[in-house]
Amino acid sequence: MQTHTLSKEMLMAILDGIDEAIHAVDKDGFTIYYNKVAAGYDGMKVEEVVGKHLLHVFPSLTDETSTLLKVLKTKKPIYHENQRYENKKGQLLETVNTTIPILNGDHLLGAVEIAKNYGHLNTLSNKLMDLQAKINRSPGSKKISSIQSSYTLDDFITDDAECVNMLQDATLFASSILPIVIWGETGTGKEIIAQGIHHQSPRKHAPFIAQNCGAIPATLLESLLFGTEKGSYTGAVDRKGLFELATGGTLFLDEMNSMPLELQAKLLRVLEDGTIRRVGGTSTIKVDVRIITAMNESPEICVENGSFRADLYYRLNTCPIYIRPLRERPHDIRLLLEKKLQTRIPYQVPIEIKEMFQSYEWPGNVRELINTIEYILLKSKEEKISIKHLPLKLNRKNQRPTIPQSTGSLRMELQKTEELMIKNAMNQSKGNVMKAAKMLDIPRQTLQYKLAKMGDKSKSDEVLKIRHTD
């Protein structure tokens, strides 16, 4: 009996020491455990909750909106679900809950919930937004656009023909107010293009605001984007979101495919009618914002795997921009290396080092290349760099296999190999562009572009036909 009592005391001490809100109820919905962290979140005392029915203490909840009661009813766990509710004192709260049933075999004993207080995070985030707004409004301070839009399209360094065409498209798109989707691998320079488009547009003197959609939780992202009304959660006040702060300018949403689908639906409404509604608000607010979105994989693939709403894709994809990975533009590797090094060191880069840079795959693309150059400059204390200053990843054992020598030019040999692979894939897929693109591990849009360039008119006609039937 003494051992049992000690174990129970230890268990209570452990649960009370956990820095998360824990709330457990029996099978009838009466509270059997409620720790001090939960009490702190809810603005209640432990004794006000323990022994009482859930709906008595939190009257704004129902059988449908309470995650604990839903789990009691279904016997199925719920993970990371947002819940907004009032406590008995009328205070509005916002949490994200993970709730699991307590079972003894098939017999339901109750349910336990672990909650995170996102109302507190919202408050901190909004304080940060207030601080930013005060800085931008202060006398003599720079505008948001001058702080955050520092790149132009000229800052995208390239000699690659396809990337030059991409920059021409970006220049053309800049003069319109249409939404833009930029996609390419991580580190290819999507934000440079987004800032460059803004800088070249009629909106260049208005704010450019960037937000990474994959960096923060959904509930916090919604408040950041749309703003809040007083009383929408504990500590909430009337506050503008990024859409209102960016009015007249550009809002750049990075990692768009990480945005929750329910928020994507709200973004679609903004694009269609140009109005937003703050979290907790009832009235609509007119906004004038140019939307530029970015993602690190093909929008079509994101639609297929369910991370990107099809209706939003069709609305946003009016002006698509694709940035090729650095490994597909070997001449740009050398060009970037020379330009970035020569801005700091006045001499030519040794041929051997150029070849080692061009042989590496660069999975992190331009960002990785620039960081590698910074490493070399830091490592080298001499005026001239050498192989000993290179990072280990540029060792020959980590590089791509060398291409066998050929009597023809490298460009022609690569083109022949590419065309042969494309024709084989098209034959094996019986003319289905999507299947062929998956076999080649490239986006369908890229394959269609390459097919159109191959010069065989019958093949081009076939591509046009497939576009309408695929």
Side-chain angles (χ1 to χ4, degrees), residues 156-160 326 329-342 354 358 369 373:
F156 192 96
I157 300 170
T158 184
D159 266 348
D160 179 73
L326 192 57
R329 1 181 211 125
H331 190 266
D332 278 359
I333 296 174
R334 180 172 293 197
L335 179 66
L336 285 161
L337 175 64
E338 291 173 347
K339 283 187 175 290
K340 294 296 181 181
L341 278 179
Q342 288 176 6
K354 290 180 182 179
Q358 285 186 293
L369 185 143
I373 292 172

Side-chain angles (χ1 to χ4, degrees), residues 24 89-90 122 173 285 313 350 379 386 406 417 428 442:
K89 300 177 182 179
N122 272 322
F173 298 159
I285 300 170
Y313 163 68
K379 192 81 180 290
S386 63
S406 170
T417 302
Q428 292 179 40
I442 61 174

Side-chain angles (χ1 to χ4, degrees), residues 207-326:
F208 174 91
I209 298 180
Q211 176 60 52
N212 187 312
C213 299
I216 56 178
T219 50
L220 183 54
L221 180 60
E222 182 180 3
S223 298
L224 277 174
L225 292 177
F226 300 108
T228 59
E229 290 284 349
K230 186 176 182 180
S232 58
Y233 55 83
T234 302
V237 297
D238 293 340
R239 183 173 281 103
K240 293 180 178 180
L242 297 185
F243 273 101
E244 290 179 77
L245 292 175
T247 291
T250 303
L251 180 59
F252 174 56
L253 300 175
D254 199 5
E255 294 191 32
M256 181 66 205
N257 49 316
S258 297
M259 179 183 284
L261 295 178
E262 61 271 19
L263 272 187
Q264 292 185 26
K266 293 183 179 180
L267 177 60
L268 180 61
R269 287 199 294 273
V270 177
L271 289 167
E272 289 176 341
D273 58 24
T275 62
I276 60 107
R277 182 179 295 168
R278 293 179 182 175
V279 174
T282 56
S283 59
T284 58
I285 300 170
K286 191 74 176 176
V287 292
D288 173 25
V289 179
R290 206 272 178 82
I291 303 294
I292 300 179
T293 58
M295 51 190 68
N296 54 19
E297 56 183 331
S298 164
E300 293 177 340
I301 292 176
C302 292
V303 170
E304 288 180 7
N305 64 28
S307 62
F308 194 27
R309 288 178 62 105
D311 49 3
L312 181 58
Y313 163 68
Y314 295 125
R315 187 67 178 77
L316 285 173
N317 204 44
T318 311
C319 299
I321 292 178
Y322 170 59
I323 306 177
R324 298 176 70 198
L326 192 57

Side-chain angles (χ1 to χ4, degrees), residues 307-462:
S307 62
F308 194 27
R309 288 178 62 105
D311 49 3
L312 181 58
Y313 163 68
Y314 295 125
R315 187 67 178 77
L316 285 173
N317 204 44
T318 311
C319 299
I321 292 178
Y322 170 59
I323 306 177
R324 298 176 70 198
L326 192 57
R327 63 181 173 276
E328 293 182 8
R329 1 181 211 125
H331 190 266
D332 278 359
I333 296 174
R334 180 172 293 197
L335 179 66
L336 285 161
L337 175 64
E338 291 173 347
K339 283 187 175 290
K340 294 296 181 181
L341 278 179
Q342 288 176 6
T343 56
R344 303 271 292 273
I345 304 175
Y347 65 86
Q348 295 296 317
V349 181
I351 295 294
E352 189 176 11
I353 289 179
K354 290 180 182 179
E355 290 176 348
M356 293 178 74
F357 265 73
Q358 285 186 293
S359 298
Y360 182 63
E361 287 281 354
W362 298 109
N365 292 289
V366 178
R367 183 185 294 123
E368 183 187 7
L369 185 143
I370 292 174
N371 288 340
T372 301
I373 292 172
E374 292 294 332
Y375 169 86
I376 292 170
L377 291 170
L378 181 64
K379 192 81 180 290
S380 172
K381 296 180 181 179
E382 306 169 10
E383 199 169 277
K384 185 175 181 179
I385 62 171
S386 63
I387 292 177
K388 68 181 182 181
H389 300 126
L390 302 182
L392 291 176
K393 66 184 179 183
L394 293 180
N395 259 322
R396 293 196 180 277
K397 64 181 181 181
N398 294 325
Q399 295 173 1
R400 291 174 287 188
T402 56
I403 301 173
Q405 290 187 351
S406 170
T407 54
S409 70
L410 176 61
R411 185 181 296 273
M412 291 300 296
E413 292 298 321
L414 289 173
Q415 184 176 342
K416 288 177 184 178
T417 302
E418 181 180 271
E419 290 183 0
L420 179 61
M421 292 179 67
I422 289 173
K423 288 176 181 178
N424 288 339
M426 289 297 291
N427 288 335
Q428 292 179 40
S429 67
K430 297 181 180 180
N432 187 304
V433 173
M434 179 60 76
K435 289 182 180 179
K438 288 182 178 179
M439 292 169 63
L440 295 167
D441 195 23
I442 61 174
R444 182 172 70 174
Q445 184 180 2
T446 302
L447 178 56
Q448 288 174 333
Y449 174 78
K450 291 181 180 295
L451 283 169
K453 284 180 59 180
M454 283 172 61
D456 183 347
K457 188 177 184 304
S458 64
K459 181 63 70 177
S460 296
D461 291 341
E462 182 183 352

Side-chain angles (χ1 to χ4, degrees), residues 163-176:
C163 284
V164 170
N165 290 335
M166 177 270 295
L167 290 174
Q168 291 173 349
D169 285 344
T171 302
L172 177 64
F173 298 159
S175 61
S176 76

